[in-house]
Amino acid sequence: MKLLEERIKKDGYILNGNIIKVDSFLNHQLDIEFLSQLSEAIYQHFKDKDINKILTIEASGIALATVLSQKFNYVPVVFAKKQKNKNLGTDVYQSLVKSFTTDKEYTVTVSKKYLNENDNLIIIDDFLAEGNALKGLIDVANQAGSKVSGISVAVEKGFQEGGKIIRDMGYDLLSLAVIKSIENEQFQF
Amino acid sequence: MKLLEERIKKDGYILNGNIIKVDSFLNHQLDIEFLSQLSEAIYQHFKDKDINKILTIEASGIALATVLSQKFNYVPVVFAKKQKNKNLGTDVYQSLVKSFTTDKEYTVTVSKKYLNENDNLIIIDDFLAEGNALKGLIDVANQAGSKVSGISVAVEKGFQEGGKIIRDMGYDLLSLAVIKSIENEQFQF
């Protein structure tokens, strides 16, 4: 969508040659009014899918999932945990994920209490690069027997494989902005 | 507030004798409509304080901060990061925190870009136990020269020291529910 592309051009920047930073509005400082506008576009795309729950992952997906819940008549949001936490208990779904950003492995964990076979999900995240976080969330949803009726991310790095992988798996993936390349420190959409 | 106390009585439970779990609506699965009601109470308490930014910490403070931003005419939310992340850069404010929940130390980090001496903050978190996370956020705000005009948490464990510590520091701390004790697996407010 034009709105997000323009915002990335205006406020985005590039770190170390290849890391795209949009932390003034999307994933460190949050512009909630802007995120709400983004979530309206997600809602319009998936509004006829009978979504009854939003699945995301801590931490950067939570704000977008929160405002999207408001569009979907306040369906519950469940955010997967990345850190091992003794207080989650053992009755959990888990999937191992390799992070592109930090180059480390982590475990995506969701309590079995909060995902089940009656759930018709949209999965939300801020960024899509190699698709590993999304694959972890899809794996967890599959373990729970939940249906994944849609996936949406704010920013897809079109020059990495994640978008193709997720679409080849047959999912309806809505990326609000796809960055095709970075040339001379400029974003190309 | 009665609303939150009733919800804790209805949906909260106790793990291993002393861990209070409210993960069906506050910090794993999120009831966004309910969080919005909580945020209205926070707004009513602090609405005359000229708040221009909300500071919270990943991950469980983000959803409440998001809906609170909507009450405060969409002031920006900044969430402090807990994990060391090479992509945050070096131009950051940091504070070392010991977690009551996980019994580990972690570093609270905020980019210098997103906190400064013109900021008049409310600090938000889901839980207050020993007050260590809040002290870390206050420390970061002080380093930035920001003013902390209010602090609010959803649940204060009144049988731990955090609330007293923060109030003794002179801050206006609003805890939406204070659990005074746990007796026979029942919450006492």
Side-chain angles (χ1 to χ4, degrees), chain B residues 91-110:
Chain B
D91 217 17
V92 295
Y93 301 113
Q94 291 194 306
S95 187
L96 193 66
V97 171
K98 188 165 189 317
S99 167
F100 169 76
T101 316
T102 63
D103 204 29
K104 287 180 192 158
E105 286 193 333
Y106 61 91
T107 305
V108 168
T109 305
V110 176

Side-chain angles (χ1 to χ4, degrees), chain B residues 45-46 128 134 150-153 156 162-164 166-167 171-175:
Chain B
H45 187 91
F46 293 105
L128 169 55
L134 287 183
I151 299 175
S152 188
V153 300
E156 176 181 338
K164 177 171 165 40
I166 300 297
R167 290 185 183 95
Y171 292 104
D172 184 2
L173 167 64
L174 174 67
S175 301

Side-chain angles (χ1 to χ4, degrees), chain A residues 19-154:
Chain A
I19 303 285
I20 297 164
K21 296 292 283 181
V22 287
D23 59 4
S24 67
F25 63 94
L26 184 63
N27 49 22
H28 184 19
Q29 183 168 257
L30 306 170
D31 180 341
I32 305 303
E33 188 168 26
F34 184 74
L35 295 186
S36 191
Q37 292 171 320
L38 297 189
S39 75
E40 177 64 25
I42 300 171
Y43 173 71
Q44 287 301 328
H45 187 91
F46 294 104
K47 65 183 175 187
D48 298 325
K49 298 285 184 183
D50 295 320
I51 302 297
N52 69 359
K53 197 171 280 184
I54 300 170
L55 178 64
T56 188
I57 185 163
E58 63 178 1
S60 302
I62 295 173
L64 184 58
T66 295
V67 292
L68 183 62
S69 163
Q70 296 174 326
K71 308 287 179 184
F72 278 108
N73 197 24
Y74 290 108
V75 296
V77 172
V78 173
F79 68 87
K81 310 254 180 172
K82 287 180 183 173
Q83 291 183 295
K84 285 183 200 297
N85 185 323
K86 64 181 179 185
N87 299 332
L88 267 180
T90 53
D91 217 16
V92 295
Y93 301 112
Q94 291 196 304
S95 187
L96 193 67
V97 170
K98 188 168 189 316
S99 166
F100 169 76
T101 316
T102 62
D103 204 29
K104 285 179 194 159
E105 286 192 333
Y106 62 91
T107 304
V108 169
T109 305
V110 175
S111 169
K112 289 187 180 177
K113 281 204 276 284
Y114 305 124
L115 275 187
N116 63 60
E117 68 279 7
N118 298 316
D119 287 329
N120 185 22
L121 303 175
I122 182 167
I123 296 177
I124 294 293
D125 206 0
D126 59 336
F127 258 90
L128 169 55
E130 297 292 340
N132 294 327
L134 287 183
K135 282 192 284 182
L137 292 172
I138 290 167
D139 181 20
V140 155
N142 287 341
Q143 290 176 44
S146 306
K147 184 177 177 192
V148 178
S149 286
I151 300 175
S152 187
V153 299

